[in-house]
Amino acid sequence: MATQDLISLLRTSTVDFDFYEALYRHFHSQPELSYQEVQTAAKAASLLRSLKAGYEVQTSIGGHGLVGVLKNGAGKTVLLRADMDALPVKEDTGLDYASKVTMRDRDDIVKPVMHACGHDFHVTSLLAAAERLAKMKDSWSGTLIVLFQPNEERAGGAQAMVDDGLYDKIPVPDVVLGQHVMPRKTSYVGSRMGNIMSEADSFKITLYGRGGHGSMPHRTVDPVVMAVGVVTKLQTIVSREVDPDQFAVVTVGSLQAGQTENIISDRAEVRVNVRTQNHEVRNRVLASIRRIVKGECEASGATKEPLIEETTKFPLSVNDEAVTTEVHKSFEAFFGDLFDPNTPCSTASEDYSILGSSQGKPCCFWFFGGTDAKTWDDAEKNGRLAEDIPVNHSPFFAPVIQPTLATGIDALCLAALTFLKTS
Ligand SMILES: [Zn+2]
Ligand SMILES: [Zn+2]
């Protein structure tokens, strides 16, 4: 579709914003943890089924994943993806629709739950886009798939849907598209060619000492001292071993050992998260982690070899050149100067690209801003963006509903129509 035709077409169709804003507040106040997106999935399925356009809806794929397929004549097959899960974070936004929800997680521990990553925007935007694109179906041709993915945060949902026979149930898409709300000024849309989000590898590392009385350290091997040595030394990987021109992050997100003051524990557990954007750098960092952990255990007289277990893994997200060129043309024409085609590659990670890469199909992903314009401008003026703008996963993460929602819906519709040929 010619870009100008596409833009005029998009302007002819809209949705009831009051309805979708209320729906957003509903999802925000009723978040569900990864693996447990029961009500969110049920609501999405029932709304898709209620659209007169005739989406074929299939549920419970790879957990609570669901898809709606709208077959609308010859043409390309386009998959739009939203993730549904929330996080174990206690909401502190003070919003009148803030979450007060608690849930038992997979380890049976009760946790506060919050949509602190904005997946409620993704679900609501995709439902609205599904309705809006259906209303325009006389003006495009092809197959539209809207996919609601469970468990993005724990890195398993996309793979679980594929492993559960997703592509036996629905057509394989020609292109997979996704988006994420970010702490940028509202109306901002950013994308880039090539790497768009980092690869992530996480590990649980168990270090073994010999426990005993706190008053007799000479009769023990103290895993706390061993763990502190490991953590400190791990922080030299990025500063001393990685080429300064390359990107890498090594974060120790959890360090646990012991129960009380006067007992030396027999083990310590260190959880490490690594982000990279280049396979060679990744392999070097992972090898360094193993070398350092083994070396520190040896130096401390550990009672046995450390146990290094992979916990989660996200692939590198790469925006396909041909597909992204087309999406960028549409975004540039519609969003004008508000669209940034060279947004920095994010240090964050996503698993959505598995929906395409598992079938050898191209993907494109973009970001859209959710921070109130005045709040952003004030913070920027005062040089306080880092301090005053809550980021994803913060208890204060509170994107403004509009124009964030409108941007998310426009972007999804535009990107889909870019590939759905005119009748
Ligand atoms: Zn997240
Ligand atoms: Zn997220």
Side-chain angles (χ1 to χ4, degrees):
M1 201 178 292
T3 310
Q4 283 315 316
D5 295 348
L6 189 160
I7 289 167
S8 349
L9 170 61
L10 194 65
R11 293 204 167 114
T12 62
S13 174
T14 186
V15 287
D16 177 357
F17 274 123
D18 289 346
F19 174 81
Y20 284 105
E21 287 164 19
L23 183 66
Y24 168 77
R25 286 192 290 270
H26 166 80
F27 283 133
H28 188 83
S29 65
Q30 301 296 320
E32 294 174 296
L33 289 172
S34 308
Y35 299 103
Q36 303 184 61
E37 308 88 344
V38 180
Q39 299 303 331
T40 309
K43 186 95 181 160
S46 96
L47 285 169
L48 277 181
R49 286 193 175 110
S50 74
L51 295 177
K52 290 189 191 79
Y55 280 90
E56 287 168 33
V57 179
Q58 298 186 67
T59 59
S60 304
I61 307 172
H64 299 292
L66 72 134
V67 284
V69 178
L70 184 58
K71 288 186 178 147
N72 189 33
K76 291 224 160 67
T77 298
V78 174
L79 187 154
L80 299 177
R81 174 272 204 178
D83 41 8
M84 298 188 284
D85 53 334
L87 286 158
V89 172
K90 188 165 174 20
E91 178 154 2
D92 208 1
T93 58
L95 294 167
D96 58 3
Y97 51 91
S99 163
K100 296 181 180 66
V101 170
T102 59
M103 288 179 88
R104 281 187 188 279
D105 71 3
R106 297 250 292 178
D107 300 322
D108 208 28
I109 299 166
V110 175
K111 298 266 175 78
V113 190
M114 174 187 175
H115 263 302
C117 203
H119 298 184
D120 42 0
F121 272 104
H122 307 166
V123 173
T124 312
S125 303
L126 185 52
L127 285 166
E131 183 192 348
R132 193 169 172 197
L133 288 164
K135 279 185 177 169
M136 287 184 255
K137 70 189 252 198
D138 291 344
S139 306
W140 58 267
S141 177
T143 298
L144 173 66
I145 302 168
V146 291
L147 182 146
F148 296 83
Q149 184 202 305
N151 186 25
E152 185 278 331
E153 294 289 355
R154 310 269 302 250
Q159 190 65 54
M161 289 188 79
V162 171
D163 291 346
D164 199 17
L166 173 69
Y167 292 120
D168 299 332
K169 302 173 201 289
I170 64 167
V172 173
D174 296 302
V175 51
V176 170
L177 305 167
Q179 62 177 2
H180 208 299
V181 66
M182 290 301 239
R184 298 292 298 253
K185 190 168 167 175
T186 49
S187 302
Y188 171 92
V189 177
S191 178
R192 66 182 285 112
M193 211 67 83
N195 293 355
I196 180 85
M197 284 173 293
S198 306
E199 188 163 3
D201 294 90
S202 291
F203 301 93
K204 180 174 112 178
I205 301 173
T206 310
L207 311 172
Y208 298 100
R210 184 167 59 242
H213 202 289
S215 69
M216 300 175 210
H218 58 295
R219 304 285 293 273
T220 72
V221 175
D222 189 344
V224 171
V225 177
M226 201 186 311
V228 168
V230 166
V231 172
T232 307
K233 187 84 177 165
L234 287 179
Q235 292 312 321
T236 65
I237 297 175
V238 174
S239 66
R240 302 292 84 184
E241 296 189 41
V242 174
D243 183 333
D245 277 345
Q246 296 286 345
F247 164 83
V249 173
V250 176
T251 289
V252 176
S254 170
L255 168 54
Q256 294 184 331
Q259 302 297 331
T260 189
E261 299 92 332
N262 63 348
I263 303 171
I264 291 172
S265 169
D266 68 346
R267 68 189 59 199
E269 195 182 285
V270 180
R271 287 176 180 261
V272 185
N273 179 249
V274 178
R275 309 280 171 151
T276 51
Q277 292 165 4
N278 170 304
H279 283 296
E280 269 174 45
V281 174
R282 169 185 179 265
N283 294 342
R284 169 145 197 185
V285 169
L286 299 195
S288 300
I289 289 173
R290 288 180 189 280
R291 189 194 74 236
I292 286 168
V293 170
K294 286 189 175 166
E296 285 294 313
C297 289
E298 170 90 25
S300 306
T303 53
K304 62 176 177 176
E305 287 274 301
L307 179 63
I308 303 176
E309 299 167 277
E310 186 181 298
T311 50
T312 60
K313 176 166 175 42
F314 288 91
L316 185 65
S317 298
V318 182
N319 273 353
D320 175 82
E321 198 173 326
V323 165
T324 305
T325 301
E326 294 305 308
V327 171
H328 280 198
K329 273 190 219 157
S330 301
F331 283 3
E332 264 157 16
F334 189 82
F335 295 116
D337 290 346
L338 295 168
F339 174 61
D340 174 6
N342 293 304
T343 198
C345 177
S346 172
T347 58
S349 309
E350 259 279 357
D351 67 346
Y352 96 105
S353 65
I354 291 170
L355 298 168
S357 63
S358 64
Q359 312 302 310
K361 297 298 180 184
C363 302
C364 178
F365 200 87
W366 60 88
F367 306 117
F368 61 113
T371 306
D372 171 66
K374 182 169 185 321
T375 308
W376 179 275
D377 289 342
D378 288 350
E380 194 168 39
K381 196 171 62 194
N382 298 325
R384 289 184 55 86
L385 284 172
E387 294 85 353
D388 294 351
I389 307 297
V391 296
N392 304 57
H393 294 204
S394 155
F396 301 101
F397 186 65
V400 289
I401 299 180
Q402 292 293 18
T404 310
L405 202 52
T407 305
I409 300 166
D410 283 341
L412 285 172
C413 291
L414 270 171
L417 289 170
T418 302
F419 302 99
L420 296 168
K421 76 179 184 71
T422 31
S423 50

